[in-house]
Amino acid sequence: MTDNATTDFIRGAQDIVHAGQRLDARGWVPATAGNISCRLPDGRIAITRSGCHKGFLTRNDVITVDLAGQPHQPDNRPSAETLLHCQVYRLLPDVGAVLHGHSVASTVLSMTEPSPALVVEGYEVQKVFEGQDTHDAAVRIPLFANDQDIARLAREVEPFFADMPAGYIIRGHGVYVWGRDMAAALARLEGLEFLLACVLERRKLGI
């Protein structure tokens, strides 16, 4: 690995560690749930190692994989869900970071919503999503059935990538969001989680 590649990996790993701390502080990655990744300048994907608590990440908990999800070091074990991160990077060349969390709101709403998508409208925070410049619009968040066959799940998700500004939710599992860099991805996740919390609260109140 060249000096530049090493420096880029260190920076990417630091971004992932800091993101893990933010997600953990908000209760969005309980236990060892969730995955965090970023695209490095040389095309490698830096991603959290399988089985790590995201609130206590170190640089050693970050590995690199190629766009097919294969680790560059054979002894490194990526999560099976790495394929869903790689799918985003493959289909959306401008994306620089992907976040996957497991919040209470996303879990409960996705398990109780009968339609194929959650729709939020009328919230100012919607403007955090690409292409949304007014609260006076509806944002559709697709819901997909959970599937332990990640390759099959990826095939189900792929046709919807043209219109998922707020990412998507796997039922009973969690959310996937992305952005041009880690800051943008974090902003979108925080926006989405705020909106999901609002929807859940309104349903509790019956409004």
Side-chain angles (χ1 to χ4, degrees):
M1 191 183 303
T2 67
D3 289 345
N4 286 343
T6 299
T7 299
D8 290 336
F9 171 77
I10 291 171
R11 288 174 178 164
Q14 288 173 337
D15 283 347
I16 288 172
V17 169
H18 294 155
Q21 293 167 348
R22 287 178 68 87
L23 270 61
D24 175 59
R26 288 157 175 76
W28 298 338
V29 282
T32 60
N35 310 109
I36 304 167
S37 69
C38 64
R39 194 197 309 257
L40 301 178
D42 62 5
R44 291 176 300 154
I45 307 304
I47 190 166
T48 44
R49 191 188 301 273
S50 179
C52 295
H53 193 295
K54 306 311 175 292
F56 304 102
L57 293 173
T58 69
R59 191 193 307 168
N60 291 333
D61 298 317
V62 180
I63 64 174
T64 63
V65 299
D66 61 22
L67 278 178
Q70 295 302 307
H72 292 107
Q73 299 295 327
D75 57 337
N76 285 333
R77 180 169 166 255
S79 164
E81 294 163 359
T82 296
L83 288 177
L84 297 178
H85 288 249
C86 293
Q87 179 182 46
V88 178
Y89 294 118
R90 177 173 55 82
L91 295 175
L92 304 173
D94 293 336
V95 165
V98 179
L99 301 171
H100 170 46
H102 296 237
S103 69
V104 171
S106 67
T107 302
V108 172
L109 288 171
S110 65
M111 294 179 77
T112 57
E113 174 59 49
S115 68
L118 281 167
V119 178
V120 295
E121 54 186 323
Y123 295 94
E124 188 71 16
V125 174
Q126 293 169 204
K127 294 179 183 179
V128 74
F129 305 125
E130 187 173 0
Q132 306 300 308
D133 56 9
T134 176
H135 70 281
D136 191 21
V139 176
R140 186 175 182 275
I141 308 156
L143 302 171
F144 300 96
N146 200 1
D147 193 338
Q148 298 306 302
D149 185 331
I150 300 299
R152 182 168 58 200
L153 176 56
R155 290 193 295 272
E156 290 293 318
V157 173
E158 188 149 337
F160 295 84
F161 267 91
D163 187 27
M164 292 199 293
Y168 65 88
I169 304 175
I170 302 173
R171 292 186 185 271
H173 187 154
V175 303
Y176 274 87
V177 301
W178 46 86
R180 65 183 180 278
D181 54 27
M182 190 63 75
L186 283 167
R188 288 181 183 172
L189 179 60
E190 291 175 13
L192 176 58
E193 289 294 355
F194 172 82
L195 293 169
L196 294 177
C198 287
V199 173
L200 184 58
E201 286 299 313
R202 293 184 68 170
R203 291 189 180 185
K204 288 178 184 177
L205 294 171
I207 59 175

